Amino acid sequence: MLLAARDAPPGFDGLIHRAWTSDDGVPDFVQALAQTPDGFLWLGTYEGLFRFDGVSFEAVPVAPGHPPGAIPVSAVTVTRRGQLWVGYAGGAGVEAMRDGRLVRMHMPDPPGEVTGIHEGQDGAIWVVGGRGRRALKRFANGRWELIDARRGVPDNEHVASLMVARDGVVWLAMQSRLLFLRPGSTRFEATPLRIAAGASMAQDARGRIWLADQAGTRMLPDYPAGATRAADPRVYPPVADIRYTSLLAEPGGALWGTTYTGGIFRIATPATGPLAQPPAFRTDHGLSSNQAMAVLRDREGSIWVATEAGLDQFRPANLVALASPPRSSPTGYLTATDVAGITWFIARDRLYRVDRQAEPVAVAGDVSGARALCADPGGGLWVDRPGRMVRLREGRTVDTRALPAGEVFGCGVDGRGQLWVARFGRGVGIASATGWRDVPVPGPERRRPQDIVIDRQGRAVIILDRRAVMRVEEGRTRLWSNAQIGVAGLTVVYDSVGGLIIGGGTGLARWNGRGFDRLSIEQHPWLRGVRGIVQTSGGMTWMVNNRGVIRLRTADLDRAFRAPRTPIAHALFDEQDGFASRTQGSDGLQLTQGGDGRLWVLTRQGVIRIDPTKLGRNTTAPLVAIRAVTANGVRHVDPVTLTLPAGTSRLAIDYSGLSLAEPGRVRFRMRLTGVDGDWIDPGERRQAFYTNLGPGRYRFEVMAANNDGVWNPVPTSVTLTIPPTFIQTPLFALICLIAAGALATLLFRLRLRALARGIRAQMAERMRERERIARELHDTLLQSVQALILRLYLVAEELPKRGAPRRAIEDALDRAEEVLEEARDRVRDLRKPTSDSDALDQRLLDIASKQGFPPDLAIRVESEGQPRYLDPLVFDEVANVAGEALFNIRRHAGARTVSILVAWRAHALCVRFRDDGVGIPPQILQSGQREGHFGLPSMRERAHRIGGELSITPAPGGGTDVMLIVPASIAYARGGDDE
């Protein structure tokens, strides 16, 4: 719950109050407060110890060995070294925070309830057990000491409170007596002062000691220095029937006190001014409970109050809601600032005056029922009264002008001193010496005049029905419609140095002499519905709309009108700064500046004051804490370095920006190195999520900015290590790589075997076809030729033995016998081609010898490896490829030497033909053949038929290499001695 200063009693105005209750997660019965250097607010509650980051309350577990059931925390304090000490009810004694965990301090004979823990200037810890006697103890040098009558502390009274002054004096308030212990002394000294029950003490910035009890609040004499009378002996009366108190002195001098029964009180300037009962702040003002227990000032200057029902915060407001003029005026509010710089208000039919650096005061003046108020450049004010306009000076009527019919909703005095009025349903009128004259309103329809503004040249500028603006100069009228202006729902006109500014529901527009420059709410949504504008001599522009009060540099606004899509740096003062209402819907001025520079804003609920010279700015950079890392359902609290379980892939990281002044305005930026390339802007979100993380070392960094944009200079970080699982290790990757290689090899071999089986099947089919052809040739052609030869033999026998015809026939028969023998060889080869392991070398030599190479060309055939039997068809195809290769060498190469290498490899048969000739032109190598020639494609086709590969490349040193490779599973014959 957020309550602005308008809800506060006098003495608490100028402060913003916010309350957290159980609805916000506050644990039951908050009775102790402290703040550690890391920025966390620590709460001692009935439910135990909690820490608060401004947004959420987090329970802190007790120390190991803590007595069962003794959960309520009744006292907390932080030492100068930043260590948190915690006191318990239920006889649990005290614990201290070490390395983020509570540890037992082993207090002997602990009291039933620890009500106070304090650190002396010597570092000793004083512990007060305020519910029993002989319950004051001191911890120093690792030992506990009971402080009792032997040290000057009466045993017949319990201790109400203890305070350590800056000079080292320890002050002790008993039930009825006040004692003190000088530095270096071992015995308390009694003072003559008699005090009431429930006393507490505080030391102000000037070193004065103040005490509050059931009798009231007063300054103490400087007893250690021998004084017997206080510098100001007056006693501020108590604000309620007090049971016991807790007192706090602010550095600025104000005293805050809790009463346990009647809320809290505040003395703004103690020891000055008239004595009166301090103002109190109670539940009817918004306090979470009247049973207030403790009070604390944090590092940013906010005041925190612990109550049995919640937690309350008070901090200075930049916007101060005034109690006068009175709030919630049924007729609304009117304002104007006259030529003398005095600001005037009308509220609840009364006139209020604000002099320079003063507060508004009511003055005489009949303004009942007024609906229009404007300043006269000649001095004084004009205000409408029933049937007339009245000019006031110092509240006195100095001029009156009778009005024609029609209610007045606005007025203004132009540069000629003429009074202008806007009348509902009656148009615009100007007062003259002879009466009133109407000003024609241009346009197709009769528009209702509303606000009247006098520009810098003294011309009247009038808003008409929120749909147009009219400017009148020397009888000439100029009208701009919504469409021409580019802004709908007109709400304000202000004549700036840079031109006439018109605002409305869709943005701002400014006249540049030829047309309007516009700022749209699409790019600048915070400009919606501006109701007031003021530009100061200091170069600032102030505006007000329903969002709050806006401040920006006038130069930035001018720049934006020239470049409308450019972002505009601005500050918005909203309800968290004291703007707890909305702008009025009525006509007239809604924002004005007094002669002292202060700004005054009219709202539906009252008047707000802004002093630009006293605006508070939070210069304290927020502290950032990484509260927890959650992985695999396990929450790791306050980590610095963290090794997570192997295989972790998802993380949730909770972090806090510990600026407690306005936690809702704290902004963050974060990144996870190795994942985020740059800073991420999560806005106000306080949790980061990451998924699909792999093994490795990560660093999460986060920064925060407070409500005024001050960033902490160094990011807070946590180092996270995620070990790899076995399947994420390099060894597993290597195993997978080996397995993949083995699988690929197996698949390759299986594929090769399948391919070999296919090729062997094709070659077997070819072999069967050759055998069929051989049978056909033997049974038909060869038999027929043989019969023909026998017949010719018979014919030759009939001829004379020495005749020429017989000799010719015998020669032909001899040739026929040779042809028949060759045919029989071919038929035999078709049935079973040669595949002996030694036959390939000889076959290649035979092919080379038949090419007709020059006699001086050297041909060399070499063999490497153990020769193997070849598949007959492979043998034939290799021979055919060799024939084509050697033919090309003879025809095109011009070589001097030719070498043939037959390599019998375990995985393949390799046959290479190399020459030292002119080589093959690159274009032929690239295209794969000579145009019109088919030798090279034929060689590749033959190689492909037996599952082989043929490559043709330039030979080292010149010439050409032709390499034929046939897989072993295809090339080598199955069976045989060598297999």
Side-chain angles (χ1 to χ4, degrees), residues 485 487 494 496-502 508-513 515-519 535 554 557-562:
I485 298 169
V487 175
Y494 179 80
S496 71
V497 174
L500 190 70
I501 298 176
I502 301 173
L508 292 182
R510 187 174 71 177
W511 176 251
N512 60 24
F516 285 94
D517 300 318
R518 301 172 183 88
L519 296 175
Q535 291 186 336
T554 301
L557 181 63
D558 294 339
R559 191 179 304 111
F561 274 119
R562 295 191 294 270

Side-chain angles (χ1 to χ4, degrees), residues 836-838 841 863-870 902 904 972 978:
D836 293 345
S837 58
D838 296 330
D841 294 359
S863 180
E864 293 180 357
Q866 178 66 37
R868 309 272 296 271
Y869 282 97
L870 294 179
V902 180
W904 306 88
Y972 301 145
D978 60 337

Side-chain angles (χ1 to χ4, degrees), residues 463-543:
I463 295 178
L464 303 174
D465 255 353
R466 308 295 182 201
R467 292 182 293 172
V469 171
M470 178 180 78
R471 186 176 71 189
V472 183
E473 180 181 14
E474 296 181 353
R476 298 189 305 273
T477 300
R478 182 160 193 172
L479 183 73
W480 293 293
S481 66
N482 279 358
Q484 292 172 309
I485 298 169
V487 175
L490 305 182
T491 53
V492 67
V493 173
Y494 179 80
D495 192 23
S496 71
V497 174
L500 190 70
I501 298 176
I502 301 173
T506 59
L508 292 182
R510 187 174 71 177
W511 176 251
N512 60 24
R514 301 177 303 277
F516 285 94
D517 300 318
R518 301 172 183 88
L519 296 175
S520 170
I521 60 172
E522 293 182 1
Q523 285 78 39
H524 314 286
W526 46 275
L527 288 177
R528 181 188 298 275
V530 172
R531 289 286 287 118
I533 303 175
V534 165
Q535 291 186 336
T536 69
S537 59
M540 303 303 294
T541 295
W542 293 81
M543 306 179 190

